[in-house]
PDB file of all heavy atoms in Angstrom:
ATOM      1  N   MET A  16      54.973 -39.518 262.111  1.00  0.00           N
ATOM      2  CA  MET A  16      54.836 -38.356 261.248  1.00  0.00           C
ATOM      3  C   MET A  16      54.849 -38.765 259.768  1.00  0.00           C
ATOM      4  O   MET A  16      54.074 -38.233 258.977  1.00  0.00           O
ATOM      5  CB  MET A  16      55.959 -37.359 261.550  1.00  0.00           C
ATOM      6  CG  MET A  16      55.838 -36.082 260.791  1.00  0.00           C
ATOM      7  SD  MET A  16      54.368 -35.183 261.265  1.00  0.00           S
ATOM      8  CE  MET A  16      54.752 -33.585 260.721  1.00  0.00           C
ATOM      9  N   ARG A  17      55.739 -39.717 259.422  1.00  0.00           N
ATOM     10  CA  ARG A  17      55.820 -40.166 258.022  1.00  0.00           C
ATOM     11  C   ARG A  17      54.509 -40.783 257.573  1.00  0.00           C
ATOM     12  O   ARG A  17      54.059 -40.551 256.448  1.00  0.00           O
ATOM     13  CB  ARG A  17      56.955 -41.161 257.845  1.00  0.00           C
ATOM     14  CG  ARG A  17      58.326 -40.520 257.953  1.00  0.00           C
ATOM     15  CD  ARG A  17      59.419 -41.528 257.868  1.00  0.00           C
ATOM     16  NE  ARG A  17      59.453 -42.093 256.531  1.00  0.00           N
ATOM     17  CZ  ARG A  17      60.232 -43.095 256.185  1.00  0.00           C
ATOM     18  NH1 ARG A  17      61.030 -43.643 257.063  1.00  0.00           N
ATOM     19  NH2 ARG A  17      60.228 -43.544 254.965  1.00  0.00           N
ATOM     20  N   ILE A  18      53.880 -41.581 258.444  1.00  0.00           N
ATOM     21  CA  ILE A  18      52.611 -42.226 258.093  1.00  0.00           C
ATOM     22  C   ILE A  18      51.526 -41.168 257.906  1.00  0.00           C
ATOM     23  O   ILE A  18      50.742 -41.228 256.948  1.00  0.00           O
ATOM     24  CB  ILE A  18      52.221 -43.267 259.158  1.00  0.00           C
ATOM     25  CG1 ILE A  18      53.205 -44.432 259.124  1.00  0.00           C
ATOM     26  CG2 ILE A  18      50.795 -43.756 258.941  1.00  0.00           C
ATOM     27  CD1 ILE A  18      53.036 -45.423 260.251  1.00  0.00           C
ATOM     28  N   PHE A  19      51.491 -40.196 258.786  1.00  0.00           N
ATOM     29  CA  PHE A  19      50.495 -39.118 258.675  1.00  0.00           C
ATOM     30  C   PHE A  19      50.681 -38.339 257.380  1.00  0.00           C
ATOM     31  O   PHE A  19      49.714 -38.063 256.668  1.00  0.00           O
ATOM     32  CB  PHE A  19      50.572 -38.183 259.885  1.00  0.00           C
ATOM     33  CG  PHE A  19      49.676 -36.987 259.730  1.00  0.00           C
ATOM     34  CD1 PHE A  19      48.303 -37.108 259.863  1.00  0.00           C
ATOM     35  CD2 PHE A  19      50.205 -35.735 259.428  1.00  0.00           C
ATOM     36  CE1 PHE A  19      47.474 -36.007 259.703  1.00  0.00           C
ATOM     37  CE2 PHE A  19      49.389 -34.636 259.267  1.00  0.00           C
ATOM     38  CZ  PHE A  19      48.012 -34.767 259.405  1.00  0.00           C
ATOM     39  N   VAL A  20      51.915 -37.969 257.066  1.00  0.00           N
ATOM     40  CA  VAL A  20      52.188 -37.210 255.837  1.00  0.00           C
ATOM     41  C   VAL A  20      51.830 -38.049 254.615  1.00  0.00           C
ATOM     42  O   VAL A  20      51.232 -37.546 253.654  1.00  0.00           O
ATOM     43  CB  VAL A  20      53.658 -36.729 255.800  1.00  0.00           C
ATOM     44  CG1 VAL A  20      54.018 -36.151 254.433  1.00  0.00           C
ATOM     45  CG2 VAL A  20      53.911 -35.701 256.892  1.00  0.00           C
ATOM     46  N   SER A  21      52.166 -39.337 254.649  1.00  0.00           N
ATOM     47  CA  SER A  21      51.818 -40.220 253.527  1.00  0.00           C
ATOM     48  C   SER A  21      50.309 -40.312 253.357  1.00  0.00           C
ATOM     49  O   SER A  21      49.791 -40.251 252.236  1.00  0.00           O
ATOM     50  CB  SER A  21      52.395 -41.615 253.755  1.00  0.00           C
ATOM     51  OG  SER A  21      53.797 -41.568 253.779  1.00  0.00           O
ATOM     52  N   LEU A  22      49.587 -40.473 254.446  1.00  0.00           N
ATOM     53  CA  LEU A  22      48.131 -40.536 254.393  1.00  0.00           C
ATOM     54  C   LEU A  22      47.551 -39.232 253.864  1.00  0.00           C
ATOM     55  O   LEU A  22      46.652 -39.233 253.012  1.00  0.00           O
ATOM     56  CB  LEU A  22      47.572 -40.858 255.783  1.00  0.00           C
ATOM     57  CG  LEU A  22      46.055 -40.939 255.889  1.00  0.00           C
ATOM     58  CD1 LEU A  22      45.536 -42.099 255.041  1.00  0.00           C
ATOM     59  CD2 LEU A  22      45.640 -41.127 257.340  1.00  0.00           C
ATOM     60  N   LEU A  23      48.071 -38.109 254.339  1.00  0.00           N
ATOM     61  CA  LEU A  23      47.599 -36.808 253.887  1.00  0.00           C
ATOM     62  C   LEU A  23      47.845 -36.621 252.384  1.00  0.00           C
ATOM     63  O   LEU A  23      46.951 -36.194 251.644  1.00  0.00           O
ATOM     64  CB  LEU A  23      48.284 -35.691 254.683  1.00  0.00           C
ATOM     65  CG  LEU A  23      47.878 -34.266 254.316  1.00  0.00           C
ATOM     66  CD1 LEU A  23      46.408 -34.032 254.619  1.00  0.00           C
ATOM     67  CD2 LEU A  23      48.749 -33.269 255.070  1.00  0.00           C
ATOM     68  N   CYS A  24      49.049 -36.956 251.927  1.00  0.00           N
ATOM     69  CA  CYS A  24      49.369 -36.832 250.493  1.00  0.00           C
ATOM     70  C   CYS A  24      48.476 -37.734 249.649  1.00  0.00           C
ATOM     71  O   CYS A  24      47.979 -37.327 248.593  1.00  0.00           O
ATOM     72  CB  CYS A  24      50.838 -37.152 250.245  1.00  0.00           C
ATOM     73  SG  CYS A  24      51.967 -35.895 250.873  1.00  0.00           S
ATOM     74  N   GLY A  25      48.258 -38.963 250.104  1.00  0.00           N
ATOM     75  CA  GLY A  25      47.386 -39.884 249.383  1.00  0.00           C
ATOM     76  C   GLY A  25      45.961 -39.385 249.320  1.00  0.00           C
ATOM     77  O   GLY A  25      45.288 -39.477 248.284  1.00  0.00           O
ATOM     78  N   ALA A  26      45.473 -38.826 250.425  1.00  0.00           N
ATOM     79  CA  ALA A  26      44.111 -38.290 250.455  1.00  0.00           C
ATOM     80  C   ALA A  26      43.974 -37.092 249.520  1.00  0.00           C
ATOM     81  O   ALA A  26      42.971 -36.966 248.797  1.00  0.00           O
ATOM     82  CB  ALA A  26      43.732 -37.901 251.882  1.00  0.00           C
ATOM     83  N   ILE A  27      44.966 -36.219 249.513  1.00  0.00           N
ATOM     84  CA  ILE A  27      44.931 -35.060 248.605  1.00  0.00           C
ATOM     85  C   ILE A  27      44.979 -35.521 247.154  1.00  0.00           C
ATOM     86  O   ILE A  27      44.243 -35.010 246.301  1.00  0.00           O
ATOM     87  CB  ILE A  27      46.082 -34.077 248.924  1.00  0.00           C
ATOM     88  CG1 ILE A  27      45.849 -33.420 250.284  1.00  0.00           C
ATOM     89  CG2 ILE A  27      46.235 -33.025 247.827  1.00  0.00           C
ATOM     90  CD1 ILE A  27      47.036 -32.621 250.806  1.00  0.00           C
ATOM     91  N   PHE A  28      45.819 -36.510 246.871  1.00  0.00           N
ATOM     92  CA  PHE A  28      45.910 -37.041 245.503  1.00  0.00           C
ATOM     93  C   PHE A  28      44.579 -37.657 245.077  1.00  0.00           C
ATOM     94  O   PHE A  28      44.068 -37.374 243.990  1.00  0.00           O
ATOM     95  CB  PHE A  28      47.032 -38.079 245.420  1.00  0.00           C
ATOM     96  CG  PHE A  28      47.213 -38.678 244.058  1.00  0.00           C
ATOM     97  CD1 PHE A  28      47.714 -37.918 243.017  1.00  0.00           C
ATOM     98  CD2 PHE A  28      46.895 -40.005 243.824  1.00  0.00           C
ATOM     99  CE1 PHE A  28      47.894 -38.475 241.752  1.00  0.00           C
ATOM    100  CE2 PHE A  28      47.068 -40.564 242.563  1.00  0.00           C
ATOM    101  CZ  PHE A  28      47.566 -39.788 241.529  1.00  0.00           C
ATOM    102  N   GLY A  29      43.993 -38.478 245.936  1.00  0.00           N
ATOM    103  CA  GLY A  29      42.707 -39.104 245.626  1.00  0.00           C
ATOM    104  C   GLY A  29      41.606 -38.078 245.448  1.00  0.00           C
ATOM    105  O   GLY A  29      40.778 -38.190 244.531  1.00  0.00           O
ATOM    106  N   ALA A  30      41.582 -37.058 246.304  1.00  0.00           N
ATOM    107  CA  ALA A  30      40.580 -35.998 246.170  1.00  0.00           C
ATOM    108  C   ALA A  30      40.766 -35.244 244.856  1.00  0.00           C
ATOM    109  O   ALA A  30      39.787 -34.921 244.175  1.00  0.00           O
ATOM    110  CB  ALA A  30      40.672 -35.035 247.357  1.00  0.00           C
ATOM    111  N   GLY A  31      42.013 -34.998 244.494  1.00  0.00           N
ATOM    112  CA  GLY A  31      42.286 -34.324 243.224  1.00  0.00           C
ATOM    113  C   GLY A  31      41.816 -35.146 242.034  1.00  0.00           C
ATOM    114  O   GLY A  31      41.249 -34.607 241.077  1.00  0.00           O
ATOM    115  N   LEU A  32      42.027 -36.455 242.094  1.00  0.00           N
ATOM    116  CA  LEU A  32      41.547 -37.323 241.013  1.00  0.00           C
ATOM    117  C   LEU A  32      40.032 -37.281 240.913  1.00  0.00           C
ATOM    118  O   LEU A  32      39.455 -37.231 239.829  1.00  0.00           O
ATOM    119  CB  LEU A  32      42.023 -38.761 241.242  1.00  0.00           C
ATOM    120  CG  LEU A  32      43.512 -39.023 241.070  1.00  0.00           C
ATOM    121  CD1 LEU A  32      43.857 -40.439 241.519  1.00  0.00           C
ATOM    122  CD2 LEU A  32      43.935 -38.805 239.629  1.00  0.00           C
ATOM    123  N   TYR A  33      39.384 -37.281 242.068  1.00  0.00           N
ATOM    124  CA  TYR A  33      37.917 -37.246 242.087  1.00  0.00           C
ATOM    125  C   TYR A  33      37.393 -35.906 241.565  1.00  0.00           C
ATOM    126  O   TYR A  33      36.533 -35.866 240.684  1.00  0.00           O
ATOM    127  CB  TYR A  33      37.390 -37.513 243.503  1.00  0.00           C
ATOM    128  CG  TYR A  33      35.894 -37.374 243.597  1.00  0.00           C
ATOM    129  CD1 TYR A  33      35.061 -38.352 243.073  1.00  0.00           C
ATOM    130  CD2 TYR A  33      35.314 -36.247 244.170  1.00  0.00           C
ATOM    131  CE1 TYR A  33      33.688 -38.215 243.129  1.00  0.00           C
ATOM    132  CE2 TYR A  33      33.946 -36.102 244.234  1.00  0.00           C
ATOM    133  CZ  TYR A  33      33.135 -37.099 243.712  1.00  0.00           C
ATOM    134  OH  TYR A  33      31.779 -36.956 243.759  1.00  0.00           O
ATOM    135  N   ILE A  34      37.926 -34.820 242.091  1.00  0.00           N
ATOM    136  CA  ILE A  34      37.454 -33.482 241.709  1.00  0.00           C
ATOM    137  C   ILE A  34      37.671 -33.226 240.219  1.00  0.00           C
ATOM    138  O   ILE A  34      36.825 -32.641 239.548  1.00  0.00           O
ATOM    139  CB  ILE A  34      38.152 -32.404 242.561  1.00  0.00           C
ATOM    140  CG1 ILE A  34      37.654 -32.495 244.005  1.00  0.00           C
ATOM    141  CG2 ILE A  34      37.920 -31.002 241.997  1.00  0.00           C
ATOM    142  CD1 ILE A  34      38.486 -31.709 245.001  1.00  0.00           C
ATOM    143  N   SER A  35      38.799 -33.694 239.690  1.00  0.00           N
ATOM    144  CA  SER A  35      39.104 -33.463 238.275  1.00  0.00           C
ATOM    145  C   SER A  35      38.337 -34.403 237.343  1.00  0.00           C
ATOM    146  O   SER A  35      38.362 -34.216 236.134  1.00  0.00           O
ATOM    147  CB  SER A  35      40.602 -33.620 238.035  1.00  0.00           C
ATOM    148  OG  SER A  35      41.004 -34.960 238.263  1.00  0.00           O
ATOM    149  N   GLY A  36      37.677 -35.398 237.911  1.00  0.00           N
ATOM    150  CA  GLY A  36      36.917 -36.337 237.090  1.00  0.00           C
ATOM    151  C   GLY A  36      37.752 -37.456 236.505  1.00  0.00           C
ATOM    152  O   GLY A  36      37.282 -38.215 235.662  1.00  0.00           O
ATOM    153  N   MET A  37      38.998 -37.587 236.943  1.00  0.00           N
ATOM    154  CA  MET A  37      39.884 -38.589 236.349  1.00  0.00           C
ATOM    155  C   MET A  37      39.578 -40.014 236.805  1.00  0.00           C
ATOM    156  O   MET A  37      40.159 -40.953 236.278  1.00  0.00           O
ATOM    157  CB  MET A  37      41.348 -38.251 236.647  1.00  0.00           C
ATOM    158  CG  MET A  37      41.827 -36.992 235.956  1.00  0.00           C
ATOM    159  SD  MET A  37      41.629 -37.050 234.159  1.00  0.00           S
ATOM    160  CE  MET A  37      40.295 -35.899 233.908  1.00  0.00           C
ATOM    161  N   ILE A  38      38.661 -40.179 237.764  1.00  0.00           N
ATOM    162  CA  ILE A  38      38.266 -41.541 238.119  1.00  0.00           C
ATOM    163  C   ILE A  38      37.091 -42.005 237.260  1.00  0.00           C
ATOM    164  O   ILE A  38      36.617 -43.130 237.406  1.00  0.00           O
ATOM    165  CB  ILE A  38      37.934 -41.688 239.621  1.00  0.00           C
ATOM    166  CG1 ILE A  38      36.748 -40.825 240.012  1.00  0.00           C
ATOM    167  CG2 ILE A  38      39.152 -41.363 240.460  1.00  0.00           C
ATOM    168  CD1 ILE A  38      36.243 -41.122 241.400  1.00  0.00           C
ATOM    169  N   ASP A  39      36.654 -41.152 236.351  1.00  0.00           N
ATOM    170  CA  ASP A  39      35.595 -41.516 235.401  1.00  0.00           C
ATOM    171  C   ASP A  39      36.246 -41.974 234.105  1.00  0.00           C
ATOM    172  O   ASP A  39      36.801 -41.159 233.361  1.00  0.00           O
ATOM    173  CB  ASP A  39      34.683 -40.311 235.149  1.00  0.00           C
ATOM    174  CG  ASP A  39      33.592 -40.594 234.135  1.00  0.00           C
ATOM    175  OD1 ASP A  39      33.447 -41.756 233.696  1.00  0.00           O
ATOM    176  OD2 ASP A  39      32.878 -39.638 233.782  1.00  0.00           O
ATOM    177  N   PRO A  40      36.199 -43.279 233.814  1.00  0.00           N
ATOM    178  CA  PRO A  40      36.873 -43.776 232.612  1.00  0.00           C
ATOM    179  C   PRO A  40      36.379 -43.125 231.319  1.00  0.00           C
ATOM    180  O   PRO A  40      37.149 -42.946 230.381  1.00  0.00           O
ATOM    181  CB  PRO A  40      36.582 -45.278 232.603  1.00  0.00           C
ATOM    182  CG  PRO A  40      35.958 -45.599 233.897  1.00  0.00           C
ATOM    183  CD  PRO A  40      35.555 -44.334 234.563  1.00  0.00           C
ATOM    184  N   GLN A  41      35.117 -42.724 231.274  1.00  0.00           N
ATOM    185  CA  GLN A  41      34.596 -42.108 230.054  1.00  0.00           C
ATOM    186  C   GLN A  41      35.258 -40.748 229.797  1.00  0.00           C
ATOM    187  O   GLN A  41      35.479 -40.368 228.657  1.00  0.00           O
ATOM    188  CB  GLN A  41      33.070 -41.957 230.139  1.00  0.00           C
ATOM    189  CG  GLN A  41      32.346 -43.281 230.163  1.00  0.00           C
ATOM    190  CD  GLN A  41      32.776 -44.207 229.031  1.00  0.00           C
ATOM    191  OE1 GLN A  41      32.826 -43.814 227.859  1.00  0.00           O
ATOM    192  NE2 GLN A  41      33.105 -45.447 229.367  1.00  0.00           N
ATOM    193  N   LYS A  42      35.564 -40.033 230.855  1.00  0.00           N
ATOM    194  CA  LYS A  42      36.254 -38.747 230.713  1.00  0.00           C
ATOM    195  C   LYS A  42      37.659 -38.962 230.150  1.00  0.00           C
ATOM    196  O   LYS A  42      38.106 -38.245 229.264  1.00  0.00           O
ATOM    197  CB  LYS A  42      36.315 -38.032 232.051  1.00  0.00           C
ATOM    198  CG  LYS A  42      36.906 -36.647 231.971  1.00  0.00           C
ATOM    199  CD  LYS A  42      36.590 -35.889 233.238  1.00  0.00           C
ATOM    200  CE  LYS A  42      36.970 -34.456 233.165  1.00  0.00           C
ATOM    201  NZ  LYS A  42      36.189 -33.643 232.253  1.00  0.00           N
ATOM    202  N   VAL A  43      38.351 -39.981 230.672  1.00  0.00           N
ATOM    203  CA  VAL A  43      39.703 -40.293 230.198  1.00  0.00           C
ATOM    204  C   VAL A  43      39.658 -40.750 228.741  1.00  0.00           C
ATOM    205  O   VAL A  43      40.454 -40.293 227.911  1.00  0.00           O
ATOM    206  CB  VAL A  43      40.362 -41.353 231.101  1.00  0.00           C
ATOM    207  CG1 VAL A  43      41.696 -41.799 230.529  1.00  0.00           C
ATOM    208  CG2 VAL A  43      40.533 -40.813 232.513  1.00  0.00           C
ATOM    209  N   LEU A  44      38.710 -41.620 228.425  1.00  0.00           N
ATOM    210  CA  LEU A  44      38.597 -42.094 227.045  1.00  0.00           C
ATOM    211  C   LEU A  44      38.231 -40.955 226.099  1.00  0.00           C
ATOM    212  O   LEU A  44      38.645 -40.946 224.945  1.00  0.00           O
ATOM    213  CB  LEU A  44      37.579 -43.233 226.962  1.00  0.00           C
ATOM    214  CG  LEU A  44      38.006 -44.530 227.665  1.00  0.00           C
ATOM    215  CD1 LEU A  44      36.864 -45.532 227.690  1.00  0.00           C
ATOM    216  CD2 LEU A  44      39.243 -45.123 227.025  1.00  0.00           C
ATOM    217  N   GLY A  45      37.473 -39.967 226.605  1.00  0.00           N
ATOM    218  CA  GLY A  45      37.153 -38.784 225.804  1.00  0.00           C
ATOM    219  C   GLY A  45      38.393 -37.978 225.455  1.00  0.00           C
ATOM    220  O   GLY A  45      38.459 -37.341 224.409  1.00  0.00           O
ATOM    221  N   PHE A  46      39.398 -38.008 226.329  1.00  0.00           N
ATOM    222  CA  PHE A  46      40.670 -37.329 226.044  1.00  0.00           C
ATOM    223  C   PHE A  46      41.518 -38.158 225.085  1.00  0.00           C
ATOM    224  O   PHE A  46      42.152 -37.621 224.181  1.00  0.00           O
ATOM    225  CB  PHE A  46      41.438 -37.085 227.339  1.00  0.00           C
ATOM    226  CG  PHE A  46      42.848 -36.628 227.117  1.00  0.00           C
ATOM    227  CD1 PHE A  46      43.118 -35.332 226.704  1.00  0.00           C
ATOM    228  CD2 PHE A  46      43.912 -37.484 227.311  1.00  0.00           C
ATOM    229  CE1 PHE A  46      44.421 -34.906 226.498  1.00  0.00           C
ATOM    230  CE2 PHE A  46      45.221 -37.068 227.106  1.00  0.00           C
ATOM    231  CZ  PHE A  46      45.475 -35.772 226.697  1.00  0.00           C
ATOM    232  N   LEU A  47      41.534 -39.468 225.296  1.00  0.00           N
ATOM    233  CA  LEU A  47      42.390 -40.326 224.476  1.00  0.00           C
ATOM    234  C   LEU A  47      41.871 -40.511 223.052  1.00  0.00           C
ATOM    235  O   LEU A  47      42.628 -40.907 222.170  1.00  0.00           O
ATOM    236  CB  LEU A  47      42.552 -41.693 225.156  1.00  0.00           C
ATOM    237  CG  LEU A  47      43.287 -41.676 226.499  1.00  0.00           C
ATOM    238  CD1 LEU A  47      43.263 -43.059 227.134  1.00  0.00           C
ATOM    239  CD2 LEU A  47      44.703 -41.175 226.348  1.00  0.00           C
ATOM    240  N   ASP A  48      40.604 -40.214 222.811  1.00  0.00           N
ATOM    241  CA  ASP A  48      40.018 -40.378 221.483  1.00  0.00           C
ATOM    242  C   ASP A  48      40.340 -39.160 220.613  1.00  0.00           C
ATOM    243  O   ASP A  48      39.519 -38.266 220.428  1.00  0.00           O
ATOM    244  CB  ASP A  48      38.502 -40.567 221.599  1.00  0.00           C
ATOM    245  CG  ASP A  48      37.844 -40.843 220.262  1.00  0.00           C
ATOM    246  OD1 ASP A  48      38.560 -41.059 219.248  1.00  0.00           O
ATOM    247  OD2 ASP A  48      36.598 -40.836 220.215  1.00  0.00           O
ATOM    248  N   ILE A  49      41.563 -39.149 220.079  1.00  0.00           N
ATOM    249  CA  ILE A  49      41.988 -37.989 219.288  1.00  0.00           C
ATOM    250  C   ILE A  49      41.236 -37.876 217.960  1.00  0.00           C
ATOM    251  O   ILE A  49      41.208 -36.807 217.358  1.00  0.00           O
ATOM    252  CB  ILE A  49      43.516 -37.994 219.034  1.00  0.00           C
ATOM    253  CG1 ILE A  49      43.935 -39.268 218.306  1.00  0.00           C
ATOM    254  CG2 ILE A  49      44.263 -37.828 220.341  1.00  0.00           C
ATOM    255  CD1 ILE A  49      45.368 -39.257 217.834  1.00  0.00           C
TER     256      ILE A  49
END
Side-chain angles (χ1 to χ4, degrees):
M16 185 65 160
R17 289 176 68 186
I18 292 172
F19 174 74
V20 170
S21 296
L22 179 64
L23 180 64
C24 289
I27 292 170
F28 180 70
L32 290 172
Y33 175 74
I34 291 167
S35 66
M37 293 303 108
I38 63 170
D39 178 6
Q41 294 309 311
K42 185 165 188 69
V43 173
L44 292 172
F46 169 75
L47 295 174
D48 184 9
I49 58 171

